[in-house]
Amino acid sequence: MTTGDIDVVIVDSGGANLASLQFALERLGARSAVSSDADTVRRAPRVLLPGVGSAQDAMSRLRATGLDRVLPQLRQPVLGICLGMQLLYERSGEGDTPCLGIVPASVQRLVPARGLPVPHMGWNKVHPRCADPLLEGLVDGEYLYFVHGYAAPVTADAVAVTEHGAAFTAVVRRRNFSGTQFHPERSGSAGARILDNFLRQATCS
Amino acid sequence: MRDGQVVKGVRFRGHAIVGGILELAARYRDEGADELVFYDITASPEGRSVDRGWVRRVAAVLDIPFCVAGGITSVAAAEAVLAAGAEKISVNSPALADPALIDRLAARFGSQCVVVGIDSETTERGYRVHALTGDPDQARDSGRETLAWVREAQDRGAGEIVLNCMASDGVRRGYDLAQLAAVRAVCQVPLVASGGAGAIQHFEAVFREAGADAALAASVFHSGTIGIGELKAALARAGVEVRP
């Protein structure tokens, strides 16, 4: 498959479960390809950066392929999912790892408390703070599915927030870069809507 | 699951066929289930790993998270299941045989991927962990005490504990609230209650009285005794926060 035939390239950062994302894109009628090749990613109409595992692991894999330098320079729509969203930030508290540095702020470990176990796993209500193309058609308080032990603070780039003990960023946006802390591919029809919104974003090429 | 079919027993015995895997997965997705768990119950007793073919087929139709268990004895076996589209893997007998497996899985995939399932029996010596429960002829006391194993599993990196109270399983008289509350007191990661749901008030009690983060049930949904939509509406009316 050449890059011209596809709607989105999924960056393979060593996470094990890309299949659930590919199936979700298939259900939306989108053509996707998985790649860790810098040129393929550079030429992609849209880029998805998923991630399961640790920040150190994912960043060392991105460095090994030169994607740590390619990704911040992309002009097309980019969506990071879960760990992929966290990698967009400057640093992660997970192993004190330098990340891609696209979004200012550092990702920090969630603090467990009574009734608030960590990792945080479950369906949370998400509240938009402003309009964003990714959130089109979603109501305030939509439930989306989260699985994570680290989270990004609420900063000026947070376009939607949720809370688990403290408030954190559920959806981030900086220029063409966006990210969701939840898994849209596992969040029922609301998640499918977000992926569909991402696929509808105009590409710059 | 056994031989490509969904089966359910009572107290881990007398398993009867409930239906096809994909049909049930699609039905529960449409009814509003928040997560599905698939146990290949004969994988560990038969010394094999879960079959990946159906994991892929399930992943293709589900848009909610799902967890897979059955004979996952290595990082490679877990990787195969996750690559096929599962969100999480759950280990039970393999973790009892090789507790360091939990550390290896958590290091490779992160704690959020690693569920430890515990089949706990109430005995005169207290709560005891049982192994190989998928086969009544092989099921046995693992030599471990339940609360100690919960502590060890989470110290090793388990991101979620599913506690299945064996005496209650399939009996539909309610979750074992006392045992779940005892485990809750030592469990800092999400705790999923399993075994015994028979009526809507049992779900309400397990959230309110035992502090469970989630409730797992099989028999009442398979038989249609309780609809997931009706259950969620009732829980919401009772003040338990649920996704509609």
Side-chain angles (χ1 to χ4, degrees), chain A residues 14-20 22-24 26-27 51-54 57 61 82 94 112-121 123-125 143-145 147-149 183-189 192, chain B residues 33-35 55-66 78-79 82-88 107-115 158-160 184 187-191 213 241-244:
Chain A
N17 65 349
L18 300 176
S20 57
Q22 287 176 283
F23 285 130
E26 254 170 51
R27 290 193 293 268
V52 165
S54 70
D57 231 46
R61 282 167 199 262
C82 198
E94 192 174 14
R114 200 176 166 76
L116 297 166
V118 172
H120 170 221
M121 303 202 199
W123 295 80
N124 257 46
K125 277 185 190 173
Y143 280 91
L144 294 150
Y145 182 72
V147 187
H148 61 126
H183 285 268
E185 76 278 18
R186 284 279 171 256
S187 291
S189 54
Chain B
D34 290 323
E35 179 167 344
V55 179
R56 263 193 95 75
R57 292 193 290 277
V58 164
V61 301
L62 281 188
D63 60 1
I64 55 170
F66 72 103
E79 184 150 19
L82 293 170
E87 210 67 51
K88 307 177 192 171
R108 172 65 182 90
F109 306 111
S111 287
Q112 79 291 334
C113 262
V114 184
V115 180
E160 182 172 278
R184 171 81 287 172
C187 180
Q188 280 95 45
V189 299
L191 173 64
D213 296 296
E241 194 192 341
V242 288
R243 178 179 76 115

Side-chain angles (χ1 to χ4, degrees), chain B residues 103-123:
Chain B
D103 304 66
R104 297 197 300 276
L105 293 172
R108 172 65 182 90
F109 306 111
S111 287
Q112 79 291 334
C113 262
V114 184
V115 180
V116 172
I118 301 177
D119 294 326
S120 179
E121 184 67 286
T122 308
T123 73

Side-chain angles (χ1 to χ4, degrees), chain A residues 13 18 51 56 83 85 119 156 160 162 170-171:
Chain A
S13 61
L18 300 176
Q56 305 99 292
L83 175 64
M85 163 192 166
T162 187
V171 182

Side-chain angles (χ1 to χ4, degrees), chain A residues 2-205:
Chain A
T2 67
T3 322
D5 300 327
I6 58 167
D7 301 303
V8 58
V9 167
I10 302 171
V11 175
D12 182 2
S13 61
N17 65 349
L18 300 176
S20 57
L21 186 55
Q22 287 176 283
F23 285 130
L25 294 167
E26 254 170 51
R27 290 193 293 268
L28 292 166
R31 296 155 300 179
S32 66
V34 174
S35 177
S36 53
D37 173 62
D39 270 341
T40 306
V41 170
R42 212 180 271 125
R43 288 200 302 265
R46 296 172 192 81
V47 174
L48 272 168
L49 180 62
V52 165
S54 70
Q56 305 99 292
D57 231 46
M59 281 308 299
S60 67
R61 282 167 199 262
L62 291 180
R63 275 194 298 274
T65 50
L67 282 168
D68 62 319
R69 293 186 309 278
V70 170
L71 288 167
Q73 288 166 13
L74 295 179
R75 306 277 303 275
Q76 60 271 55
V78 178
L79 175 62
I81 295 174
C82 198
L83 175 64
M85 163 192 166
Q86 297 179 2
L87 297 180
L88 300 177
Y89 284 81
E90 285 172 331
R91 302 188 78 80
S92 170
E94 192 174 14
D96 193 25
T97 307
C99 295
L100 296 171
I102 296 160
V103 183
S106 291
V107 169
Q108 298 298 339
R109 179 149 178 84
L110 291 166
V111 182
R114 200 176 166 76
L116 297 166
V118 172
H120 170 221
M121 303 202 199
W123 295 80
N124 257 46
K125 277 185 190 173
V126 168
H127 305 287
R129 300 168 86 210
C130 54
D132 188 89
L134 268 189
L135 302 173
E136 219 178 282
L138 270 79
V139 300
D140 185 27
E142 201 82 67
Y143 280 91
L144 294 150
Y145 182 72
F146 291 80
V147 187
H148 61 126
Y150 288 76
V154 178
T155 61
D157 299 307
V159 296
V161 297
T162 187
E163 58 172 41
H164 185 72
F168 62 88
T169 298
V171 182
V172 68
R173 155 82 57 191
R174 196 162 177 95
R175 305 186 307 273
N176 53 314
F177 294 92
S178 54
T180 64
Q181 181 58 67
F182 51 83
H183 285 268
E185 76 278 18
R186 284 279 171 256
S187 291
S189 54
R193 178 70 198 242
I194 289 169
L195 283 178
D196 199 41
N197 287 343
F198 174 68
L199 292 167
R200 283 166 195 278
Q201 283 180 43
T203 62
C204 52
S205 53

Side-chain angles (χ1 to χ4, degrees), chain B residues 37-56:
Chain B
V37 184
F38 298 83
Y39 296 116
D40 187 339
I41 56 170
T42 51
S44 276
E46 289 172 5
R48 60 174 174 82
S49 180
V50 59
D51 164 32
R52 266 184 294 149
W54 63 260
V55 179
R56 263 193 95 75

Side-chain angles (χ1 to χ4, degrees), chain B residues 100-163:
Chain B
L101 173 66
I102 303 171
D103 304 66
R104 297 197 300 276
L105 293 172
R108 172 65 182 90
F109 306 111
S111 287
Q112 79 291 334
C113 262
V114 184
V115 180
V116 172
I118 301 177
D119 294 326
S120 179
E121 184 67 286
T122 308
T123 73
E124 42 204 33
R125 290 189 297 152
Y127 302 127
R128 306 285 302 174
V129 182
H130 280 229
L132 301 172
T133 54
D135 176 356
D137 297 330
Q138 290 189 57
R140 54 173 175 75
D141 188 315
S142 67
R144 289 171 179 276
E145 192 271 317
T146 301
L147 297 185
W149 179 230
V150 168
R151 284 196 197 93
E152 180 175 343
Q154 63 185 351
D155 286 348
R156 289 181 177 277
E160 182 172 278
I161 301 286
V162 175
L163 187 76

